[in-house]
Amino acid sequence: MSRNLPQIAYGSLFSLAGRVACVTGASSGIGRAMATALAESGARVVGVARRAERLADWQAETQGETAVVEMDLADLDTVPAAARMIEARFEETPDILVNAAGVNLRQPAAQVTAESWRQTLDLNLSVPFLMAQTLAPGMAARGWGRIINIASLQSARALPGGIAYGASKGGIAQLTRAMAAEWGTDGITANAIAPGFFPTELTAPVFADARTATHHASATCIGRNGRMEDLVGPLLFLCSRASDYVTGQLLAVDGGYTAK
């Protein structure tokens, strides 16, 4: 090893000890899996969602130090209050923000209404910005922070019934780059994870049809759809010191779906 390399405690690069994380959409799907992974990797985690019973179930089933905030973030006016409640749970601004709350109504263009368009863009795009805008000053004061957004296959390509969802996830890709530019010199990195097809509430229509699920599995390089554990490594990388020099990036965790 070169003598010019700094001494690095490699074993601590992925450590989340002492970190506080906030995960929106923690009551189900990818958000729940990510909240669990962070808590069981040593972070203190505040799970945020609108369904109190689901949040309570997550908290009861998860090892580690957790807290919850019941809030419907689809109402944008609630975001500042939610942020204050999040900070109050462990009496400090989170070091890590994972924006996993989202919706996919799967409407063809002719069926999209002003209300459904607004609902999709508000929850999938506006909420991640407003949450980050509210919590970033506390991260900046500490000189360290991680923002993880959830992108999609549709951040890079179009799929049927996805005109509103695709617009929101295309926006997430650019929002992530803009966040990186905005807060990078404050010690905050912003990146996005773009999952392929994983079994969640949002993808239930896909997995309910064996032919469709098989089609998407065959579209990957690996030959299968995602499993929740496939998200853990990329998440821990982007939330830890291991990714200190990585920001503004979209990491596809899709089995090579977008590579073919």
mmCIF file with all atom_site columns, all heavy atoms in Angstrom, residues 43-71:
data_model
loop_
_atom_site.group_PDB
_atom_site.id
_atom_site.type_symbol
_atom_site.label_atom_id
_atom_site.label_alt_id
_atom_site.label_comp_id
_atom_site.label_asym_id
_atom_site.label_entity_id
_atom_site.label_seq_id
_atom_site.pdbx_PDB_ins_code
_atom_site.Cartn_x
_atom_site.Cartn_y
_atom_site.Cartn_z
_atom_site.occupancy
_atom_site.B_iso_or_equiv
_atom_site.pdbx_formal_charge
_atom_site.auth_seq_id
_atom_site.auth_comp_id
_atom_site.auth_asym_id
_atom_site.auth_atom_id
_atom_site.pdbx_PDB_model_num
ATOM 1   N N   . ALA A 1 43 ? -28.273 2.994  13.579 1.00 0.00 ? 43 ALA A N   1
ATOM 2   C CA  . ALA A 1 43 ? -28.798 4.351  13.623 1.00 0.00 ? 43 ALA A CA  1
ATOM 3   C C   . ALA A 1 43 ? -30.043 4.407  14.491 1.00 0.00 ? 43 ALA A C   1
ATOM 4   O O   . ALA A 1 43 ? -30.759 3.413  14.659 1.00 0.00 ? 43 ALA A O   1
ATOM 5   C CB  . ALA A 1 43 ? -29.137 4.832  12.211 1.00 0.00 ? 43 ALA A CB  1
ATOM 6   N N   . ARG A 1 44 ? -30.295 5.565  15.066 1.00 0.00 ? 44 ARG A N   1
ATOM 7   C CA  . ARG A 1 44 ? -31.579 5.827  15.692 1.00 0.00 ? 44 ARG A CA  1
ATOM 8   C C   . ARG A 1 44 ? -32.506 6.350  14.605 1.00 0.00 ? 44 ARG A C   1
ATOM 9   O O   . ARG A 1 44 ? -32.169 7.314  13.923 1.00 0.00 ? 44 ARG A O   1
ATOM 10  C CB  . ARG A 1 44 ? -31.436 6.851  16.827 1.00 0.00 ? 44 ARG A CB  1
ATOM 11  C CG  . ARG A 1 44 ? -30.648 6.343  18.025 1.00 0.00 ? 44 ARG A CG  1
ATOM 12  C CD  . ARG A 1 44 ? -30.429 7.435  19.047 1.00 0.00 ? 44 ARG A CD  1
ATOM 13  N NE  . ARG A 1 44 ? -29.459 8.419  18.569 1.00 0.00 ? 44 ARG A NE  1
ATOM 14  C CZ  . ARG A 1 44 ? -29.282 9.627  19.104 1.00 0.00 ? 44 ARG A CZ  1
ATOM 15  N NH1 . ARG A 1 44 ? -30.036 10.024 20.119 1.00 0.00 ? 44 ARG A NH1 1
ATOM 16  N NH2 . ARG A 1 44 ? -28.367 10.434 18.627 1.00 0.00 ? 44 ARG A NH2 1
ATOM 17  N N   . VAL A 1 45 ? -33.651 5.723  14.429 1.00 0.00 ? 45 VAL A N   1
ATOM 18  C CA  . VAL A 1 45 ? -34.482 5.977  13.249 1.00 0.00 ? 45 VAL A CA  1
ATOM 19  C C   . VAL A 1 45 ? -35.857 6.496  13.636 1.00 0.00 ? 45 VAL A C   1
ATOM 20  O O   . VAL A 1 45 ? -36.552 5.899  14.460 1.00 0.00 ? 45 VAL A O   1
ATOM 21  C CB  . VAL A 1 45 ? -34.639 4.696  12.394 1.00 0.00 ? 45 VAL A CB  1
ATOM 22  C CG1 . VAL A 1 45 ? -35.530 4.960  11.181 1.00 0.00 ? 45 VAL A CG1 1
ATOM 23  C CG2 . VAL A 1 45 ? -33.263 4.198  11.943 1.00 0.00 ? 45 VAL A CG2 1
ATOM 24  N N   . VAL A 1 46 ? -36.243 7.603  13.000 1.00 0.00 ? 46 VAL A N   1
ATOM 25  C CA  . VAL A 1 46 ? -37.599 8.124  13.097 1.00 0.00 ? 46 VAL A CA  1
ATOM 26  C C   . VAL A 1 46 ? -38.340 7.714  11.830 1.00 0.00 ? 46 VAL A C   1
ATOM 27  O O   . VAL A 1 46 ? -37.970 8.124  10.730 1.00 0.00 ? 46 VAL A O   1
ATOM 28  C CB  . VAL A 1 46 ? -37.623 9.658  13.235 1.00 0.00 ? 46 VAL A CB  1
ATOM 29  C CG1 . VAL A 1 46 ? -39.059 10.150 13.398 1.00 0.00 ? 46 VAL A CG1 1
ATOM 30  C CG2 . VAL A 1 46 ? -36.758 10.108 14.399 1.00 0.00 ? 46 VAL A CG2 1
ATOM 31  N N   . GLY A 1 47 ? -39.364 6.881  11.984 1.00 0.00 ? 47 GLY A N   1
ATOM 32  C CA  . GLY A 1 47 ? -40.190 6.479  10.856 1.00 0.00 ? 47 GLY A CA  1
ATOM 33  C C   . GLY A 1 47 ? -41.400 7.396  10.728 1.00 0.00 ? 47 GLY A C   1
ATOM 34  O O   . GLY A 1 47 ? -42.079 7.665  11.719 1.00 0.00 ? 47 GLY A O   1
ATOM 35  N N   . VAL A 1 48 ? -41.652 7.865  9.520  1.00 0.00 ? 48 VAL A N   1
ATOM 36  C CA  . VAL A 1 48 ? -42.752 8.801  9.270  1.00 0.00 ? 48 VAL A CA  1
ATOM 37  C C   . VAL A 1 48 ? -43.705 8.186  8.262  1.00 0.00 ? 48 VAL A C   1
ATOM 38  O O   . VAL A 1 48 ? -43.279 7.684  7.210  1.00 0.00 ? 48 VAL A O   1
ATOM 39  C CB  . VAL A 1 48 ? -42.231 10.148 8.723  1.00 0.00 ? 48 VAL A CB  1
ATOM 40  C CG1 . VAL A 1 48 ? -43.379 11.142 8.557  1.00 0.00 ? 48 VAL A CG1 1
ATOM 41  C CG2 . VAL A 1 48 ? -41.158 10.719 9.621  1.00 0.00 ? 48 VAL A CG2 1
ATOM 42  N N   . ALA A 1 49 ? -44.993 8.206  8.573  1.00 0.00 ? 49 ALA A N   1
ATOM 43  C CA  . ALA A 1 49 ? -46.016 7.725  7.646  1.00 0.00 ? 49 ALA A CA  1
ATOM 44  C C   . ALA A 1 49 ? -47.373 8.159  8.172  1.00 0.00 ? 49 ALA A C   1
ATOM 45  O O   . ALA A 1 49 ? -47.493 8.633  9.307  1.00 0.00 ? 49 ALA A O   1
ATOM 46  C CB  . ALA A 1 49 ? -45.953 6.202  7.480  1.00 0.00 ? 49 ALA A CB  1
ATOM 47  N N   . ARG A 1 50 ? -48.400 7.951  7.360  1.00 0.00 ? 50 ARG A N   1
ATOM 48  C CA  . ARG A 1 50 ? -49.742 8.392  7.762  1.00 0.00 ? 50 ARG A CA  1
ATOM 49  C C   . ARG A 1 50 ? -50.531 7.304  8.475  1.00 0.00 ? 50 ARG A C   1
ATOM 50  O O   . ARG A 1 50 ? -51.527 7.591  9.119  1.00 0.00 ? 50 ARG A O   1
ATOM 51  C CB  . ARG A 1 50 ? -50.519 8.866  6.532  1.00 0.00 ? 50 ARG A CB  1
ATOM 52  C CG  . ARG A 1 50 ? -50.732 7.803  5.476  1.00 0.00 ? 50 ARG A CG  1
ATOM 53  C CD  . ARG A 1 50 ? -51.455 8.341  4.243  1.00 0.00 ? 50 ARG A CD  1
ATOM 54  N NE  . ARG A 1 50 ? -51.518 7.356  3.187  1.00 0.00 ? 50 ARG A NE  1
ATOM 55  C CZ  . ARG A 1 50 ? -52.415 6.398  3.086  1.00 0.00 ? 50 ARG A CZ  1
ATOM 56  N NH1 . ARG A 1 50 ? -53.362 6.281  4.031  1.00 0.00 ? 50 ARG A NH1 1
ATOM 57  N NH2 . ARG A 1 50 ? -52.407 5.542  2.088  1.00 0.00 ? 50 ARG A NH2 1
ATOM 58  N N   . ARG A 1 51 ? -50.093 6.052  8.412  1.00 0.00 ? 51 ARG A N   1
ATOM 59  C CA  . ARG A 1 51 ? -50.850 4.948  8.985  1.00 0.00 ? 51 ARG A CA  1
ATOM 60  C C   . ARG A 1 51 ? -50.252 4.534  10.326 1.00 0.00 ? 51 ARG A C   1
ATOM 61  O O   . ARG A 1 51 ? -49.218 3.877  10.387 1.00 0.00 ? 51 ARG A O   1
ATOM 62  C CB  . ARG A 1 51 ? -50.885 3.771  8.009  1.00 0.00 ? 51 ARG A CB  1
ATOM 63  C CG  . ARG A 1 51 ? -51.676 4.097  6.740  1.00 0.00 ? 51 ARG A CG  1
ATOM 64  C CD  . ARG A 1 51 ? -51.693 2.952  5.755  1.00 0.00 ? 51 ARG A CD  1
ATOM 65  N NE  . ARG A 1 51 ? -50.395 2.729  5.150  1.00 0.00 ? 51 ARG A NE  1
ATOM 66  C CZ  . ARG A 1 51 ? -50.178 1.891  4.137  1.00 0.00 ? 51 ARG A CZ  1
ATOM 67  N NH1 . ARG A 1 51 ? -51.190 1.201  3.622  1.00 0.00 ? 51 ARG A NH1 1
ATOM 68  N NH2 . ARG A 1 51 ? -48.964 1.745  3.631  1.00 0.00 ? 51 ARG A NH2 1
ATOM 69  N N   . ALA A 1 52 ? -50.921 4.938  11.394 1.00 0.00 ? 52 ALA A N   1
ATOM 70  C CA  . ALA A 1 52 ? -50.389 4.730  12.745 1.00 0.00 ? 52 ALA A CA  1
ATOM 71  C C   . ALA A 1 52 ? -50.202 3.245  13.061 1.00 0.00 ? 52 ALA A C   1
ATOM 72  O O   . ALA A 1 52 ? -49.190 2.861  13.669 1.00 0.00 ? 52 ALA A O   1
ATOM 73  C CB  . ALA A 1 52 ? -51.311 5.380  13.769 1.00 0.00 ? 52 ALA A CB  1
ATOM 74  N N   . GLU A 1 53 ? -51.151 2.416  12.685 1.00 0.00 ? 53 GLU A N   1
ATOM 75  C CA  . GLU A 1 53 ? -51.050 0.991  13.017 1.00 0.00 ? 53 GLU A CA  1
ATOM 76  C C   . GLU A 1 53 ? -49.858 0.347  12.315 1.00 0.00 ? 53 GLU A C   1
ATOM 77  O O   . GLU A 1 53 ? -49.144 -0.467 12.910 1.00 0.00 ? 53 GLU A O   1
ATOM 78  C CB  . GLU A 1 53 ? -52.348 0.271  12.650 1.00 0.00 ? 53 GLU A CB  1
ATOM 79  C CG  . GLU A 1 53 ? -53.525 0.629  13.545 1.00 0.00 ? 53 GLU A CG  1
ATOM 80  C CD  . GLU A 1 53 ? -54.756 -0.200 13.235 1.00 0.00 ? 53 GLU A CD  1
ATOM 81  O OE1 . GLU A 1 53 ? -54.661 -1.120 12.381 1.00 0.00 ? 53 GLU A OE1 1
ATOM 82  O OE2 . GLU A 1 53 ? -55.811 0.062  13.842 1.00 0.00 ? 53 GLU A OE2 1
ATOM 83  N N   . ARG A 1 54 ? -49.661 0.694  11.064 1.00 0.00 ? 54 ARG A N   1
ATOM 84  C CA  . ARG A 1 54 ? -48.526 0.144  10.322 1.00 0.00 ? 54 ARG A CA  1
ATOM 85  C C   . ARG A 1 54 ? -47.200 0.616  10.925 1.00 0.00 ? 54 ARG A C   1
ATOM 86  O O   . ARG A 1 54 ? -46.232 -0.139 11.005 1.00 0.00 ? 54 ARG A O   1
ATOM 87  C CB  . ARG A 1 54 ? -48.607 0.564  8.853  1.00 0.00 ? 54 ARG A CB  1
ATOM 88  C CG  . ARG A 1 54 ? -49.778 -0.033 8.073  1.00 0.00 ? 54 ARG A CG  1
ATOM 89  C CD  . ARG A 1 54 ? -49.536 -1.495 7.758  1.00 0.00 ? 54 ARG A CD  1
ATOM 90  N NE  . ARG A 1 54 ? -50.532 -2.022 6.855  1.00 0.00 ? 54 ARG A NE  1
ATOM 91  C CZ  . ARG A 1 54 ? -50.403 -2.045 5.523  1.00 0.00 ? 54 ARG A CZ  1
ATOM 92  N NH1 . ARG A 1 54 ? -49.316 -1.548 4.955  1.00 0.00 ? 54 ARG A NH1 1
ATOM 93  N NH2 . ARG A 1 54 ? -51.352 -2.544 4.766  1.00 0.00 ? 54 ARG A NH2 1
ATOM 94  N N   . LEU A 1 55 ? -47.151 1.879  11.331 1.00 0.00 ? 55 LEU A N   1
ATOM 95  C CA  . LEU A 1 55 ? -45.948 2.388  11.978 1.00 0.00 ? 55 LEU A CA  1
ATOM 96  C C   . LEU A 1 55 ? -45.671 1.656  13.281 1.00 0.00 ? 55 LEU A C   1
ATOM 97  O O   . LEU A 1 55 ? -44.527 1.299  13.581 1.00 0.00 ? 55 LEU A O   1
ATOM 98  C CB  . LEU A 1 55 ? -46.095 3.885  12.252 1.00 0.00 ? 55 LEU A CB  1
ATOM 99  C CG  . LEU A 1 55 ? -45.769 4.851  11.120 1.00 0.00 ? 55 LEU A CG  1
ATOM 100 C CD1 . LEU A 1 55 ? -46.080 6.279  11.553 1.00 0.00 ? 55 LEU A CD1 1
ATOM 101 C CD2 . LEU A 1 55 ? -44.303 4.735  10.688 1.00 0.00 ? 55 LEU A CD2 1
ATOM 102 N N   . ALA A 1 56 ? -46.729 1.425  14.068 1.00 0.00 ? 56 ALA A N   1
ATOM 103 C CA  . ALA A 1 56 ? -46.568 0.706  15.334 1.00 0.00 ? 56 ALA A CA  1
ATOM 104 C C   . ALA A 1 56 ? -46.070 -0.711 15.081 1.00 0.00 ? 56 ALA A C   1
ATOM 105 O O   . ALA A 1 56 ? -45.228 -1.227 15.827 1.00 0.00 ? 56 ALA A O   1
ATOM 106 C CB  . ALA A 1 56 ? -47.885 0.691  16.096 1.00 0.00 ? 56 ALA A CB  1
ATOM 107 N N   . ASP A 1 57 ? -46.583 -1.358 14.037 1.00 0.00 ? 57 ASP A N   1
ATOM 108 C CA  . ASP A 1 57 ? -46.129 -2.705 13.689 1.00 0.00 ? 57 ASP A CA  1
ATOM 109 C C   . ASP A 1 57 ? -44.645 -2.691 13.328 1.00 0.00 ? 57 ASP A C   1
ATOM 110 O O   . ASP A 1 57 ? -43.880 -3.563 13.759 1.00 0.00 ? 57 ASP A O   1
ATOM 111 C CB  . ASP A 1 57 ? -46.936 -3.257 12.514 1.00 0.00 ? 57 ASP A CB  1
ATOM 112 C CG  . ASP A 1 57 ? -48.354 -3.614 12.897 1.00 0.00 ? 57 ASP A CG  1
ATOM 113 O OD1 . ASP A 1 57 ? -48.640 -3.730 14.107 1.00 0.00 ? 57 ASP A OD1 1
ATOM 114 O OD2 . ASP A 1 57 ? -49.190 -3.771 11.982 1.00 0.00 ? 57 ASP A OD2 1
ATOM 115 N N   . TRP A 1 58 ? -44.252 -1.704 12.517 1.00 0.00 ? 58 TRP A N   1
ATOM 116 C CA  . TRP A 1 58 ? -42.835 -1.598 12.133 1.00 0.00 ? 58 TRP A CA  1
ATOM 117 C C   . TRP A 1 58 ? -41.964 -1.431 13.373 1.00 0.00 ? 58 TRP A C   1
ATOM 118 O O   . TRP A 1 58 ? -40.946 -2.119 13.530 1.00 0.00 ? 58 TRP A O   1
ATOM 119 C CB  . TRP A 1 58 ? -42.620 -0.415 11.189 1.00 0.00 ? 58 TRP A CB  1
ATOM 120 C CG  . TRP A 1 58 ? -41.171 -0.054 11.076 1.00 0.00 ? 58 TRP A CG  1
ATOM 121 C CD1 . TRP A 1 58 ? -40.194 -0.751 10.416 1.00 0.00 ? 58 TRP A CD1 1
ATOM 122 C CD2 . TRP A 1 58 ? -40.506 1.052  11.709 1.00 0.00 ? 58 TRP A CD2 1
ATOM 123 N NE1 . TRP A 1 58 ? -38.964 -0.143 10.589 1.00 0.00 ? 58 TRP A NE1 1
ATOM 124 C CE2 . TRP A 1 58 ? -39.142 0.966  11.377 1.00 0.00 ? 58 TRP A CE2 1
ATOM 125 C CE3 . TRP A 1 58 ? -40.945 2.103  12.514 1.00 0.00 ? 58 TRP A CE3 1
ATOM 126 C CZ2 . TRP A 1 58 ? -38.204 1.909  11.823 1.00 0.00 ? 58 TRP A CZ2 1
ATOM 127 C CZ3 . TRP A 1 58 ? -40.020 3.041  12.957 1.00 0.00 ? 58 TRP A CZ3 1
ATOM 128 C CH2 . TRP A 1 58 ? -38.670 2.934  12.618 1.00 0.00 ? 58 TRP A CH2 1
ATOM 129 N N   . GLN A 1 59 ? -42.370 -0.547 14.257 1.00 0.00 ? 59 GLN A N   1
ATOM 130 C CA  . GLN A 1 59 ? -41.567 -0.273 15.449 1.00 0.00 ? 59 GLN A CA  1
ATOM 131 C C   . GLN A 1 59 ? -41.459 -1.512 16.334 1.00 0.00 ? 59 GLN A C   1
ATOM 132 O O   . GLN A 1 59 ? -40.382 -1.821 16.856 1.00 0.00 ? 59 GLN A O   1
ATOM 133 C CB  . GLN A 1 59 ? -42.164 0.894  16.220 1.00 0.00 ? 59 GLN A CB  1
ATOM 134 C CG  . GLN A 1 59 ? -41.254 1.456  17.301 1.00 0.00 ? 59 GLN A CG  1
ATOM 135 C CD  . GLN A 1 59 ? -41.798 2.724  17.919 1.00 0.00 ? 59 GLN A CD  1
ATOM 136 O OE1 . GLN A 1 59 ? -43.009 2.967  17.918 1.00 0.00 ? 59 GLN A OE1 1
ATOM 137 N NE2 . GLN A 1 59 ? -40.920 3.543  18.471 1.00 0.00 ? 59 GLN A NE2 1
ATOM 138 N N   . ALA A 1 60 ? -42.555 -2.250 16.475 1.00 0.00 ? 60 ALA A N   1
ATOM 139 C CA  . ALA A 1 60 ? -42.550 -3.441 17.322 1.00 0.00 ? 60 ALA A CA  1
ATOM 140 C C   . ALA A 1 60 ? -41.678 -4.547 16.742 1.00 0.00 ? 60 ALA A C   1
ATOM 141 O O   . ALA A 1 60 ? -41.080 -5.336 17.494 1.00 0.00 ? 60 ALA A O   1
ATOM 142 C CB  . ALA A 1 60 ? -43.982 -3.951 17.502 1.00 0.00 ? 60 ALA A CB  1
ATOM 143 N N   . GLU A 1 61 ? -41.586 -4.606 15.430 1.00 0.00 ? 61 GLU A N   1
ATOM 144 C CA  . GLU A 1 61 ? -40.852 -5.684 14.775 1.00 0.00 ? 61 GLU A CA  1
ATOM 145 C C   . GLU A 1 61 ? -39.375 -5.366 14.550 1.00 0.00 ? 61 GLU A C   1
ATOM 146 O O   . GLU A 1 61 ? -38.613 -6.246 14.146 1.00 0.00 ? 61 GLU A O   1
ATOM 147 C CB  . GLU A 1 61 ? -41.499 -5.998 13.413 1.00 0.00 ? 61 GLU A CB  1
ATOM 148 C CG  . GLU A 1 61 ? -42.897 -6.573 13.525 1.00 0.00 ? 61 GLU A CG  1
ATOM 149 C CD  . GLU A 1 61 ? -43.587 -6.674 12.173 1.00 0.00 ? 61 GLU A CD  1
ATOM 150 O OE1 . GLU A 1 61 ? -42.935 -6.321 11.156 1.00 0.00 ? 61 GLU A OE1 1
ATOM 151 O OE2 . GLU A 1 61 ? -44.754 -7.093 12.128 1.00 0.00 ? 61 GLU A OE2 1
ATOM 152 N N   . THR A 1 62 ? -38.974 -4.123 14.798 1.00 0.00 ? 62 THR A N   1
ATOM 153 C CA  . THR A 1 62 ? -37.627 -3.687 14.447 1.00 0.00 ? 62 THR A CA  1
ATOM 154 C C   . THR A 1 62 ? -36.722 -3.625 15.668 1.00 0.00 ? 62 THR A C   1
ATOM 155 O O   . THR A 1 62 ? -37.075 -3.038 16.688 1.00 0.00 ? 62 THR A O   1
ATOM 156 C CB  . THR A 1 62 ? -37.679 -2.291 13.781 1.00 0.00 ? 62 THR A CB  1
ATOM 157 O OG1 . THR A 1 62 ? -38.506 -2.359 12.615 1.00 0.00 ? 62 THR A OG1 1
ATOM 158 C CG2 . THR A 1 62 ? -36.284 -1.832 13.370 1.00 0.00 ? 62 THR A CG2 1
ATOM 159 N N   . GLN A 1 63 ? -35.562 -4.228 15.554 1.00 0.00 ? 63 GLN A N   1
ATOM 160 C CA  . GLN A 1 63 ? -34.552 -4.145 16.604 1.00 0.00 ? 63 GLN A CA  1
ATOM 161 C C   . GLN A 1 63 ? -33.806 -2.826 16.462 1.00 0.00 ? 63 GLN A C   1
ATOM 162 O O   . GLN A 1 63 ? -33.513 -2.380 15.361 1.00 0.00 ? 63 GLN A O   1
ATOM 163 C CB  . GLN A 1 63 ? -33.572 -5.310 16.500 1.00 0.00 ? 63 GLN A CB  1
ATOM 164 C CG  . GLN A 1 63 ? -34.218 -6.669 16.698 1.00 0.00 ? 63 GLN A CG  1
ATOM 165 C CD  . GLN A 1 63 ? -33.221 -7.805 16.571 1.00 0.00 ? 63 GLN A CD  1
ATOM 166 O OE1 . GLN A 1 63 ? -32.032 -7.576 16.449 1.00 0.00 ? 63 GLN A OE1 1
ATOM 167 N NE2 . GLN A 1 63 ? -33.719 -9.030 16.604 1.00 0.00 ? 63 GLN A NE2 1
ATOM 168 N N   . GLY A 1 64 ? -33.490 -2.210 17.585 1.00 0.00 ? 64 GLY A N   1
ATOM 169 C CA  . GLY A 1 64 ? -32.784 -0.938 17.552 1.00 0.00 ? 64 GLY A CA  1
ATOM 170 C C   . GLY A 1 64 ? -33.630 0.166  18.142 1.00 0.00 ? 64 GLY A C   1
ATOM 171 O O   . GLY A 1 64 ? -34.769 -0.048 18.582 1.00 0.00 ? 64 GLY A O   1
ATOM 172 N N   . GLU A 1 65 ? -33.081 1.367  18.160 1.00 0.00 ? 65 GLU A N   1
ATOM 173 C CA  . GLU A 1 65 ? -33.742 2.518  18.768 1.00 0.00 ? 65 GLU A CA  1
ATOM 174 C C   . GLU A 1 65 ? -34.571 3.234  17.708 1.00 0.00 ? 65 GLU A C   1
ATOM 175 O O   . GLU A 1 65 ? -34.021 3.752  16.735 1.00 0.00 ? 65 GLU A O   1
ATOM 176 C CB  . GLU A 1 65 ? -32.706 3.460  19.372 1.00 0.00 ? 65 GLU A CB  1
ATOM 177 C CG  . GLU A 1 65 ? -33.300 4.473  20.326 1.00 0.00 ? 65 GLU A CG  1
ATOM 178 C CD  . GLU A 1 65 ? -32.240 5.256  21.087 1.00 0.00 ? 65 GLU A CD  1
ATOM 179 O OE1 . GLU A 1 65 ? -31.045 4.901  20.984 1.00 0.00 ? 65 GLU A OE1 1
ATOM 180 O OE2 . GLU A 1 65 ? -32.614 6.223  21.782 1.00 0.00 ? 65 GLU A OE2 1
ATOM 181 N N   . THR A 1 66 ? -35.884 3.251  17.894 1.00 0.00 ? 66 THR A N   1
ATOM 182 C CA  . THR A 1 66 ? -36.783 3.819  16.887 1.00 0.00 ? 66 THR A CA  1
ATOM 183 C C   . THR A 1 66 ? -37.800 4.752  17.528 1.00 0.00 ? 66 THR A C   1
ATOM 184 O O   . THR A 1 66 ? -38.082 4.685  18.716 1.00 0.00 ? 66 THR A O   1
ATOM 185 C CB  . THR A 1 66 ? -37.538 2.713  16.129 1.00 0.00 ? 66 THR A CB  1
ATOM 186 O OG1 . THR A 1 66 ? -38.337 1.969  17.061 1.00 0.00 ? 66 THR A OG1 1
ATOM 187 C CG2 . THR A 1 66 ? -36.579 1.776  15.407 1.00 0.00 ? 66 THR A CG2 1
ATOM 188 N N   . ALA A 1 67 ? -38.352 5.612  16.706 1.00 0.00 ? 67 ALA A N   1
ATOM 189 C CA  . ALA A 1 67 ? -39.446 6.495  17.089 1.00 0.00 ? 67 ALA A CA  1
ATOM 190 C C   . ALA A 1 67 ? -40.311 6.688  15.859 1.00 0.00 ? 67 ALA A C   1
ATOM 191 O O   . ALA A 1 67 ? -39.901 6.367  14.737 1.00 0.00 ? 67 ALA A O   1
ATOM 192 C CB  . ALA A 1 67 ? -38.921 7.835  17.603 1.00 0.00 ? 67 ALA A CB  1
ATOM 193 N N   . VAL A 1 68 ? -41.525 7.202  16.050 1.00 0.00 ? 68 VAL A N   1
ATOM 194 C CA  . VAL A 1 68 ? -42.432 7.368  14.916 1.00 0.00 ? 68 VAL A CA  1
ATOM 195 C C   . VAL A 1 68 ? -43.075 8.747  14.939 1.00 0.00 ? 68 VAL A C   1
ATOM 196 O O   . VAL A 1 68 ? -43.229 9.363  15.990 1.00 0.00 ? 68 VAL A O   1
ATOM 197 C CB  . VAL A 1 68 ? -43.535 6.280  14.890 1.00 0.00 ? 68 VAL A CB  1
ATOM 198 C CG1 . VAL A 1 68 ? -42.922 4.895  14.745 1.00 0.00 ? 68 VAL A CG1 1
ATOM 199 C CG2 . VAL A 1 68 ? -44.407 6.361  16.127 1.00 0.00 ? 68 VAL A CG2 1
ATOM 200 N N   . VAL A 1 69 ? -43.441 9.197  13.748 1.00 0.00 ? 69 VAL A N   1
ATOM 201 C CA  . VAL A 1 69 ? -44.237 10.415 13.571 1.00 0.00 ? 69 VAL A CA  1
ATOM 202 C C   . VAL A 1 69 ? -45.363 10.072 12.607 1.00 0.00 ? 69 VAL A C   1
ATOM 203 O O   . VAL A 1 69 ? -45.104 9.697  11.455 1.00 0.00 ? 69 VAL A O   1
ATOM 204 C CB  . VAL A 1 69 ? -43.399 11.573 13.006 1.00 0.00 ? 69 VAL A CB  1
ATOM 205 C CG1 . VAL A 1 69 ? -44.299 12.748 12.591 1.00 0.00 ? 69 VAL A CG1 1
ATOM 206 C CG2 . VAL A 1 69 ? -42.378 12.042 14.029 1.00 0.00 ? 69 VAL A CG2 1
ATOM 207 N N   . GLU A 1 70 ? -46.587 10.144 13.088 1.00 0.00 ? 70 GLU A N   1
ATOM 208 C CA  . GLU A 1 70 ? -47.746 9.895  12.229 1.00 0.00 ? 70 GLU A CA  1
ATOM 209 C C   . GLU A 1 70 ? -48.125 11.216 11.552 1.00 0.00 ? 70 GLU A C   1
ATOM 210 O O   . GLU A 1 70 ? -48.496 12.178 12.214 1.00 0.00 ? 70 GLU A O   1
ATOM 211 C CB  . GLU A 1 70 ? -48.924 9.384  13.058 1.00 0.00 ? 70 GLU A CB  1
ATOM 212 C CG  . GLU A 1 70 ? -50.165 9.119  12.229 1.00 0.00 ? 70 GLU A CG  1
ATOM 213 C CD  . GLU A 1 70 ? -51.393 8.878  13.086 1.00 0.00 ? 70 GLU A CD  1
ATOM 214 O OE1 . GLU A 1 70 ? -51.247 8.748  14.326 1.00 0.00 ? 70 GLU A OE1 1
ATOM 215 O OE2 . GLU A 1 70 ? -52.505 8.851  12.519 1.00 0.00 ? 70 GLU A OE2 1
ATOM 216 N N   . MET A 1 71 ? -48.011 11.249 10.226 1.00 0.00 ? 71 MET A N   1
ATOM 217 C CA  . MET A 1 71 ? -48.286 12.483 9.506  1.00 0.00 ? 71 MET A CA  1
ATOM 218 C C   . MET A 1 71 ? -48.552 12.154 8.043  1.00 0.00 ? 71 MET A C   1
ATOM 219 O O   . MET A 1 71 ? -47.862 11.324 7.453  1.00 0.00 ? 71 MET A O   1
ATOM 220 C CB  . MET A 1 71 ? -47.091 13.427 9.600  1.00 0.00 ? 71 MET A CB  1
ATOM 221 C CG  . MET A 1 71 ? -47.330 14.818 9.045  1.00 0.00 ? 71 MET A CG  1
ATOM 222 S SD  . MET A 1 71 ? -48.370 15.834 10.115 1.00 0.00 ? 71 MET A SD  1
ATOM 223 C CE  . MET A 1 71 ? -47.248 16.187 11.473 1.00 0.00 ? 71 MET A CE  1
#
